[in-house]
Amino acid sequence: PMSFDEIKDNYSGGRGLDWFLKKRLHGIESIGLINICDEKVRLSKRGIILAKIVHSAVKVIGLKDLG
């Protein structure tokens, strides 16, 4: 079996899990839900609005599993 470090380093043909995380974050940034500045991630105004909508839906409609 592979160790965690081997999996982390060899993910996606050797690009690694760091590459995967950065790719996902930049995708979320490209649709305007977050801002990335100085390696810090913050919700954008659009991201805050969406988070509030989802939070309300969870409370009002009883949504539980969004993943």
Side-chain angles (χ1 to χ4, degrees), residues 1-55:
M2 294 175 72
S3 70
F4 175 77
D5 285 338
E6 288 173 315
I7 294 169
K8 178 179 70 111
D9 294 340
N10 290 303
Y11 183 83
S12 188
R15 293 183 208 163
L17 288 178
D18 289 340
W19 167 84
F20 170 76
L21 179 58
K22 287 176 184 174
K23 181 178 185 282
R24 294 292 179 200
L25 287 173
H26 286 291
I28 297 167
E29 182 183 37
S30 73
I31 61 171
L33 296 179
I34 62 172
N35 297 312
I36 302 172
C37 184
D38 297 327
E39 296 191 10
K40 293 187 176 159
V41 179
R42 293 181 182 233
L43 285 174
S44 65
K45 288 181 183 179
R46 181 183 290 175
I48 291 169
I49 291 168
L50 181 60
K52 288 180 179 182
I53 291 169
V54 170
H55 180 75

